[in-house]
């Protein structure tokens, strides 16, 4: 890696949160509506349909951290980690967050008393079978970054399966996982993606995040935000990729105002997660006091 691992991991986490905070302003808007109201957004403004304070994040970053906390507290046993992630999801939903995806809400609510994490998957399969359709939202994809950064593809997929258990969502998480590895390792950018409508569909979301990160390797968050649709999630995933390649020092040096505007509590938690991820990726013992 041309940039040290810790710098890349922090850059990826911060890039994700910045994309989330900036994209929250334009979520559910069209490109035309964005241009009419804001012109062209290049900074974190707050507001949006959630009326967020400047620098605050949405469910994307909050649920990503739920996964990270479960991984940290349960490391290295996978059953323990996934059971703790389930517990964190329930506690997060009970905190009455302002932004919860419909599928995540249904899955967490219906599974909260199921016990072992594998029962969540059974219930999710039954629900999709009953309604004769797959849950194809991006809620599982949006929170997979931390296991992707640790190099744990199994956990990246299984944490998504807790709410979105089907082959399409699994494939999307796998695609993002391998893209993160390529960005961490400075592999040449991919040019095989074409822009899709920026909806909350998991295929469109992972496609557009990879597209923007490869087409605009320095500032891909900005066009993702101004594209509208599910802008917070797409911009967050884009930022996760870009930060993994640039590293925090370059990301901060290029866009210091973005990092300074980010909620300070969130930034502190991202730094905490960075230490855990680096040690987990290097197969080291981890203590939260480090």
């Amino acid at each position: 890696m041309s940039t040290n691992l810790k710098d890349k991991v922090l850059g990826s986490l911060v890039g994700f949160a910045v994309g989330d905070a900036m994209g929250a302003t334009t979520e559910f808007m069209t490109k035309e509506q964005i241009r009419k109201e804001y012109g062209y957004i290049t900074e974190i403004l707050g507001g949006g349909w959630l009326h967020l304070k400047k620098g605050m994040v949405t469910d994307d970053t909050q649920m990503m951290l739920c996964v990270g906390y479960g991984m940290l507290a349960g490391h290295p046993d996978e059953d323990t980690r996934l059971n703790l992630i389930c517990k964190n999801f329930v506690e997060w939903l009970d905190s009455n967050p302002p932004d919860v995806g419909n599928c995540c809400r249904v899955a967490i609510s219906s599974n909260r008393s199921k016990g072992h994490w594998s029962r969540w998957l059974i219930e999710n399969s039954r629900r999709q079978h009953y309604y004769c359709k797959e849950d194809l939202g991006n809620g599982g994809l949006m929170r997979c970054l931390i296991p992707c950064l640790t190099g744990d593809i199994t956990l990246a997929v299984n944490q998504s399966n807790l709410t979105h258990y089907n082959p399409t969502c699994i494939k999307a998480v796998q695609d993002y996982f391998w893209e993160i590895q390529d960005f961490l390792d400075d592999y040449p950018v991919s040019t095989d993606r074409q822009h899709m409508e920026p909806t909350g569909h998991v295929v469109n979301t992972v496609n557009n995040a990879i597209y923007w990160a490869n087409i605009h390797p320095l500032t891909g968050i900005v066009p993702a935000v101004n594209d509208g649709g599910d802008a917070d999630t797409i911009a967050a995933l884009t930022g996760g990729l870009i930060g993994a390649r640039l590293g925090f020092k370059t990301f901060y040096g290029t866009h210091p105002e973005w990092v300074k505007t980010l909620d300070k509590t969130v930034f502190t938690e991202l730094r905490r997660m960075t230490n855990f991820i680096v040690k987990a990726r290097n197969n080291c013992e981890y203590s939260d006091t480090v």
Side-chain angles (χ1 to χ4, degrees), residues 58-80:
T58 75
D59 58 336
D60 298 72
T61 303
Q62 292 167 354
M63 293 197 79
M64 177 191 74
L65 286 171
C66 284
V67 173
Y69 296 145
M71 291 175 64
L72 190 157
H75 183 74
D77 182 71
E78 179 154 357
D79 268 5
T80 302

Side-chain angles (χ1 to χ4, degrees), residues 24-27 29 38 46-52:
T25 304
T26 61
E27 187 182 15
M29 297 179 72
Y38 299 105
W49 75 278
L50 291 170
H51 307 290
L52 296 180

Side-chain angles (χ1 to χ4, degrees), residues 201-215:
H201 192 290
V202 68
V203 173
N204 295 48
T205 298
V206 71
N207 176 85
N208 282 9
I210 296 171
Y211 170 81
W212 290 122
N214 284 322
I215 295 296

Side-chain angles (χ1 to χ4, degrees), residues 5 18 33 76 117 129 131 148 174 181 195 227 246-247 283 290:
L5 177 60
V18 166
Q33 289 171 333
W117 68 270
H129 178 73
Y131 288 106
C148 288
Q174 291 171 336
Q181 311 317 307
H195 179 261
D227 204 29
L246 295 180
N283 296 312
V290 173

Side-chain angles (χ1 to χ4, degrees), residues 11-20 23 60 141-142 145 176 179-180 183 195 198 204-228 230-246 251 258:
S12 181
L13 293 174
V14 171
F16 184 96
V18 166
D20 183 16
D60 298 72
L141 170 68
M142 76 181 188
L145 180 58
Y176 192 74
E179 202 74 16
I180 282 288
F183 272 65
H195 179 261
N204 295 48
T205 298
V206 71
N207 176 85
N208 282 9
I210 296 171
Y211 170 81
W212 290 122
N214 284 322
I215 295 296
H216 299 283
L218 285 174
T219 58
I221 291 173
V222 171
V225 167
N226 286 278
D227 204 29
D230 203 358
D232 59 335
T233 302
I234 297 171
L237 291 166
T238 302
L241 290 168
I242 292 174
R245 186 182 296 277
L246 295 180
F251 186 88
W258 294 356

Side-chain angles (χ1 to χ4, degrees), residues 113-130:
S113 61
K114 289 294 188 296
H116 194 268
W117 68 270
S118 62
R119 298 287 302 278
W120 287 48
L121 276 60
I122 295 170
E123 178 64 26
N124 293 341
S125 294
R126 287 175 176 169
R127 184 179 66 253
Q128 291 173 95
H129 178 73
Y130 178 82

